[in-house]
PDB file of all heavy atoms in Angstrom:
ATOM      1  N   ILE A 212    -267.418 -30.478  28.093  1.00 83.00           N
ATOM      2  CA  ILE A 212    -268.724 -30.597  28.861  1.00 83.00           C
ATOM      3  C   ILE A 212    -269.567 -29.391  28.525  1.00 83.00           C
ATOM      4  O   ILE A 212    -270.778 -29.666  28.355  1.00 83.00           O
ATOM      5  CB  ILE A 212    -268.485 -30.724  30.388  1.00 83.00           C
ATOM      6  CG1 ILE A 212    -267.739 -32.047  30.621  1.00 83.00           C
ATOM      7  CG2 ILE A 212    -269.811 -30.618  31.192  1.00 83.00           C
ATOM      8  CD1 ILE A 212    -267.361 -32.169  32.196  1.00 83.00           C
ATOM      9  N   ALA A 213    -268.986 -28.312  28.428  1.00 76.00           N
ATOM     10  CA  ALA A 213    -269.880 -27.016  28.211  1.00 76.00           C
ATOM     11  C   ALA A 213    -270.423 -27.113  26.772  1.00 76.00           C
ATOM     12  O   ALA A 213    -271.573 -26.782  26.489  1.00 76.00           O
ATOM     13  CB  ALA A 213    -269.054 -25.860  28.315  1.00 76.00           C
ATOM     14  N   PHE A 214    -269.620 -27.575  25.784  1.00 83.00           N
ATOM     15  CA  PHE A 214    -270.080 -27.716  24.417  1.00 83.00           C
ATOM     16  C   PHE A 214    -271.175 -28.782  24.205  1.00 83.00           C
ATOM     17  O   PHE A 214    -272.064 -28.762  23.374  1.00 83.00           O
ATOM     18  CB  PHE A 214    -268.910 -27.928  23.418  1.00 83.00           C
ATOM     19  CG  PHE A 214    -267.906 -26.775  23.450  1.00 83.00           C
ATOM     20  CD1 PHE A 214    -266.542 -26.962  23.426  1.00 83.00           C
ATOM     21  CD2 PHE A 214    -268.264 -25.425  23.608  1.00 83.00           C
ATOM     22  CE1 PHE A 214    -265.559 -26.014  23.389  1.00 83.00           C
ATOM     23  CE2 PHE A 214    -267.362 -24.421  23.654  1.00 83.00           C
ATOM     24  CZ  PHE A 214    -266.035 -24.732  23.535  1.00 83.00           C
ATOM     25  N   SER A 215    -271.113 -29.816  25.154  1.00 85.00           N
ATOM     26  CA  SER A 215    -272.113 -30.840  25.132  1.00 85.00           C
ATOM     27  C   SER A 215    -273.413 -30.282  25.459  1.00 85.00           C
ATOM     28  O   SER A 215    -274.522 -30.538  24.956  1.00 85.00           O
ATOM     29  CB  SER A 215    -271.705 -31.947  26.063  1.00 85.00           C
ATOM     30  OG  SER A 215    -270.418 -32.697  25.751  1.00 85.00           O
ATOM     31  N   VAL A 216    -273.398 -29.381  26.537  1.00 72.00           N
ATOM     32  CA  VAL A 216    -274.611 -28.737  27.006  1.00 72.00           C
ATOM     33  C   VAL A 216    -275.264 -27.823  25.818  1.00 72.00           C
ATOM     34  O   VAL A 216    -276.461 -27.858  25.623  1.00 72.00           O
ATOM     35  CB  VAL A 216    -274.260 -27.908  28.239  1.00 72.00           C
ATOM     36  CG1 VAL A 216    -275.536 -27.138  28.608  1.00 72.00           C
ATOM     37  CG2 VAL A 216    -273.823 -28.879  29.423  1.00 72.00           C
ATOM     38  N   ILE A 217    -274.347 -27.126  25.156  1.00 76.00           N
ATOM     39  CA  ILE A 217    -274.769 -26.286  24.094  1.00 76.00           C
ATOM     40  C   ILE A 217    -275.442 -27.098  22.940  1.00 76.00           C
ATOM     41  O   ILE A 217    -276.457 -26.825  22.438  1.00 76.00           O
ATOM     42  CB  ILE A 217    -273.668 -25.553  23.458  1.00 76.00           C
ATOM     43  CG1 ILE A 217    -273.097 -24.517  24.470  1.00 76.00           C
ATOM     44  CG2 ILE A 217    -274.085 -24.859  22.163  1.00 76.00           C
ATOM     45  CD1 ILE A 217    -271.846 -23.788  24.035  1.00 76.00           C
ATOM     46  N   THR A 218    -274.938 -28.305  22.711  1.00 84.00           N
ATOM     47  CA  THR A 218    -275.480 -29.275  21.609  1.00 84.00           C
ATOM     48  C   THR A 218    -276.715 -29.913  22.111  1.00 84.00           C
ATOM     49  O   THR A 218    -277.431 -30.227  21.286  1.00 84.00           O
ATOM     50  CB  THR A 218    -274.340 -30.292  21.223  1.00 84.00           C
ATOM     51  OG1 THR A 218    -273.106 -29.552  20.989  1.00 84.00           O
ATOM     52  CG2 THR A 218    -274.748 -31.021  20.153  1.00 84.00           C
ATOM     53  N   GLY A 219    -276.778 -30.071  23.426  1.00 79.00           N
ATOM     54  CA  GLY A 219    -278.000 -30.746  23.900  1.00 79.00           C
ATOM     55  C   GLY A 219    -277.813 -32.200  24.033  1.00 79.00           C
ATOM     56  O   GLY A 219    -278.827 -33.054  23.829  1.00 79.00           O
ATOM     57  N   VAL A 220    -276.575 -32.736  24.296  1.00 86.00           N
ATOM     58  CA  VAL A 220    -276.264 -34.129  24.516  1.00 86.00           C
ATOM     59  C   VAL A 220    -275.638 -34.408  25.788  1.00 86.00           C
ATOM     60  O   VAL A 220    -275.149 -33.418  26.430  1.00 86.00           O
ATOM     61  CB  VAL A 220    -275.305 -34.576  23.313  1.00 86.00           C
ATOM     62  CG1 VAL A 220    -276.004 -34.433  22.034  1.00 86.00           C
ATOM     63  CG2 VAL A 220    -274.041 -33.844  23.268  1.00 86.00           C
ATOM     64  N   ASP A 221    -275.409 -35.643  26.110  1.00 85.00           N
ATOM     65  CA  ASP A 221    -274.805 -36.028  27.485  1.00 85.00           C
ATOM     66  C   ASP A 221    -273.296 -35.479  27.400  1.00 85.00           C
ATOM     67  O   ASP A 221    -272.652 -35.561  26.477  1.00 85.00           O
ATOM     68  CB  ASP A 221    -274.828 -37.554  27.594  1.00 85.00           C
ATOM     69  CG  ASP A 221    -274.333 -37.927  29.008  1.00 85.00           C
ATOM     70  OD1 ASP A 221    -275.182 -37.846  29.850  1.00 85.00           O
ATOM     71  OD2 ASP A 221    -273.221 -38.286  29.159  1.00 85.00           O
ATOM     72  N   PRO A 222    -272.959 -35.100  28.515  1.00 84.00           N
ATOM     73  CA  PRO A 222    -271.501 -34.541  28.730  1.00 84.00           C
ATOM     74  C   PRO A 222    -270.465 -35.443  28.292  1.00 84.00           C
ATOM     75  O   PRO A 222    -269.400 -35.085  27.661  1.00 84.00           O
ATOM     76  CB  PRO A 222    -271.277 -34.259  30.236  1.00 84.00           C
ATOM     77  CG  PRO A 222    -272.727 -33.961  30.730  1.00 84.00           C
ATOM     78  CD  PRO A 222    -273.636 -34.812  29.857  1.00 84.00           C
ATOM     79  N   SER A 223    -270.674 -36.781  28.367  1.00 89.00           N
ATOM     80  CA  SER A 223    -269.706 -37.760  28.002  1.00 89.00           C
ATOM     81  C   SER A 223    -269.503 -37.783  26.452  1.00 89.00           C
ATOM     82  O   SER A 223    -268.453 -38.083  26.016  1.00 89.00           O
ATOM     83  CB  SER A 223    -270.115 -39.188  28.480  1.00 89.00           C
ATOM     84  OG  SER A 223    -271.349 -39.536  27.868  1.00 89.00           O
ATOM     85  N   VAL A 224    -270.535 -37.180  25.709  1.00 92.00           N
ATOM     86  CA  VAL A 224    -270.405 -37.242  24.316  1.00 92.00           C
ATOM     87  C   VAL A 224    -269.253 -36.235  23.859  1.00 92.00           C
ATOM     88  O   VAL A 224    -268.522 -36.551  23.016  1.00 92.00           O
ATOM     89  CB  VAL A 224    -271.780 -36.820  23.605  1.00 92.00           C
ATOM     90  CG1 VAL A 224    -271.552 -36.614  22.161  1.00 92.00           C
ATOM     91  CG2 VAL A 224    -272.817 -37.922  23.910  1.00 92.00           C
ATOM     92  N   GLY A 225    -269.347 -35.030  24.427  1.00 91.00           N
ATOM     93  CA  GLY A 225    -268.358 -34.093  24.175  1.00 91.00           C
ATOM     94  C   GLY A 225    -266.912 -34.484  24.540  1.00 91.00           C
ATOM     95  O   GLY A 225    -265.965 -34.153  23.789  1.00 91.00           O
ATOM     96  N   LEU A 226    -266.813 -35.199  25.642  1.00 93.00           N
ATOM     97  CA  LEU A 226    -265.476 -35.655  26.102  1.00 93.00           C
ATOM     98  C   LEU A 226    -264.979 -36.794  25.283  1.00 93.00           C
ATOM     99  O   LEU A 226    -263.724 -36.748  24.773  1.00 93.00           O
ATOM    100  CB  LEU A 226    -265.570 -36.145  27.507  1.00 93.00           C
ATOM    101  CG  LEU A 226    -265.848 -34.991  28.598  1.00 93.00           C
ATOM    102  CD1 LEU A 226    -266.347 -35.705  29.886  1.00 93.00           C
ATOM    103  CD2 LEU A 226    -264.510 -34.263  28.844  1.00 93.00           C
ATOM    104  N   THR A 227    -265.746 -37.696  24.819  1.00 95.00           N
ATOM    105  CA  THR A 227    -265.292 -38.770  23.874  1.00 95.00           C
ATOM    106  C   THR A 227    -264.981 -38.197  22.493  1.00 95.00           C
ATOM    107  O   THR A 227    -264.072 -38.679  21.792  1.00 95.00           O
ATOM    108  CB  THR A 227    -266.272 -39.916  23.752  1.00 95.00           C
ATOM    109  OG1 THR A 227    -267.574 -39.333  23.340  1.00 95.00           O
ATOM    110  CG2 THR A 227    -266.471 -40.568  25.019  1.00 95.00           C
ATOM    111  N   THR A 228    -265.839 -37.113  22.137  1.00 96.00           N
ATOM    112  CA  THR A 228    -265.464 -36.435  20.848  1.00 96.00           C
ATOM    113  C   THR A 228    -264.141 -35.788  20.908  1.00 96.00           C
ATOM    114  O   THR A 228    -263.281 -35.951  19.894  1.00 96.00           O
ATOM    115  CB  THR A 228    -266.575 -35.404  20.626  1.00 96.00           C
ATOM    116  OG1 THR A 228    -267.864 -35.972  20.483  1.00 96.00           O
ATOM    117  CG2 THR A 228    -266.217 -34.528  19.293  1.00 96.00           C
TER     118      THR A 228
END
Side-chain angles (χ1 to χ4, degrees):
I212 294 174
F214 297 143
S215 298
V216 174
I217 293 173
T218 307
V220 297
D221 189 81
S223 62
V224 175
L226 290 164
T227 54
T228 295

